Amino acid sequence: MVELVLFVVFAAAALFGAVTMVWARNPVYSAMGLMLSMFSVAVFYVSNGAHFIAAVQVIIYAGAVMTLFLFVIMLIGVDKAETRTENLPLQRPAALGLIALFGAGVVVAGRSAWVTGRTVSPGSPIDGSIEEVGGELFNNWLLPFEITALLLIIAAAGAIALAFFRDDEEGDA
Amino acid sequence: MIVNQFLVLAALLFSIGIYGVLVRRNAVLVLLSIELMLTAVNINLVAFGQYLQDALVSGQVFALFVITVAAAEVGIGLAIVILIFRNRSSANVDELDLLKW
């Protein structure tokens, strides 16, 4: 019962944050809406036993990534004059039709079995503590973990290269 | 623990993210919407991981990988947005038609 109430409250918060993000004219409000969504999603992680992922979500997403976004929004200025008019004719009716089709698909899928394949084992619930996740990460998922490290290094080097080489030295970057 | 409500919520968040990517013209807002979509996928991964009670904790480990990739993507993406803004003094994706002929 407590779980249901928690889910309803934070699902409403997540959806409100997401809609705010999409609709707000001011990009700062959009970033704040996404931050609200991220915090609510962290609550869902906790209710699924993923305590470490929830902490990572709050620290990385709601902390680092959103700070980066706010920095960039402040750097390039808050442009509220974004046009909302559609240039393509028939796009909005077509979008409504596709949304209806998608909703019908969800309803049809909801009437059949939600999860196919493996049945639920009556094992103990996953405890997503740092110990548990770290043990699996460094034993069975070591290679993907190292590849992720490589990816992060490449991304950091790429970001530095993008910022470092100005366009007055053409071709160097 | 029922998994359905998390799947519905993740689908809704993902759809809102797709809507944001398609509708907003500010490049920063497009990146924000992509973050929302990645988060929706993470909800699915963690919920399924708990539902199947996988011995490898693969749902949570994959959510961790997705968060890492999202962080890398945001770093590069925002660097590109700043560069484009520096060159064209606009972060409007409609005006970036350099490759159009």
Side-chain angles (χ1 to χ4, degrees):
Chain A
M1 192 60 205
V2 177
E3 273 185 359
L4 185 67
V5 172
L6 271 181
F7 175 81
V8 169
V9 168
F10 283 99
L15 287 176
F16 174 75
V19 172
T20 304
M21 185 207 80
V22 169
W23 272 107
R25 300 228 165 233
N26 191 333
V28 178
Y29 292 168
S30 296
M32 289 301 157
L34 188 63
M35 203 180 272
L36 176 64
S37 274
M38 294 300 181
F39 274 114
S40 312
V41 168
V43 174
F44 300 141
Y45 292 164
V46 171
S47 74
N48 273 307
H51 306 287
F52 176 56
I53 308 292
V56 166
Q57 170 91 2
V58 170
I59 292 172
I60 293 186
Y61 264 127
V65 169
M66 297 315 296
T67 311
L68 200 58
F69 267 112
L70 285 174
F71 258 121
V72 171
I73 287 171
M74 298 301 176
L75 264 181
I76 70 177
V78 177
D79 177 24
K80 293 174 195 163
E82 187 181 334
T83 56
R84 296 286 179 100
T85 53
E86 272 307 332
N87 299 328
L88 298 174
L90 284 182
Q91 195 184 27
R92 296 225 158 132
L96 282 180
L98 286 177
I99 288 172
L101 199 63
F102 177 70
V106 168
V107 169
V108 169
R111 284 166 182 277
S112 58
W114 276 83
V115 182
T116 55
R118 187 169 157 189
T119 52
V120 184
S121 55
S124 55
I126 292 178
D127 167 36
S129 61
I130 295 180
E131 211 177 340
E132 187 92 4
V133 176
E136 290 300 329
L137 192 60
F138 288 109
N139 284 314
N140 297 310
W141 300 100
L142 187 59
L143 182 64
F145 180 76
E146 295 293 341
I147 294 173
T148 312
L150 187 65
L151 174 80
L152 271 180
I153 290 176
I154 292 172
I160 291 172
L162 278 176
F164 196 70
F165 299 111
R166 311 293 294 261
D167 57 345
D168 45 43
E169 35 192 32
E170 285 284 338
D172 256 358
Chain B
M1 172 59 81
I2 309 281
V3 75
N4 297 7
Q5 77 269 37
F6 292 110
L7 302 190
V8 171
L9 178 77
L12 284 174
L13 286 181
F14 194 88
S15 309
I16 293 174
I18 288 183
Y19 177 82
V21 167
L22 293 179
V23 167
R24 295 308 297 257
R25 294 192 165 89
N26 190 336
V28 177
L29 267 300
V30 173
L31 280 176
L32 276 174
S33 304
I34 292 175
E35 292 303 310
L36 188 64
M37 288 159 69
L38 289 170
T39 310
V41 171
N42 272 351
I43 297 177
N44 261 5
L45 285 173
V46 171
F48 268 118
Q50 184 61 265
Y51 178 74
L52 297 174
Q53 294 175 354
D54 185 9
L56 286 177
V57 206
S58 42
Q60 298 186 18
V61 172
F62 266 75
L64 211 53
F65 287 151
V66 171
I67 289 175
T68 318
V69 171
E73 170 248 327
V74 159
I76 292 288
L78 287 179
I80 292 174
V81 168
I82 287 183
L83 270 190
I84 288 173
F85 185 80
R86 204 192 267 160
N87 285 333
R88 316 200 51 161
S89 57
S90 158
N92 192 336
V93 289
D94 270 3
E95 295 168 15
L96 304 176
D97 47 7
L98 272 176
L99 292 179
K100 206 157 103 184
W101 56 281

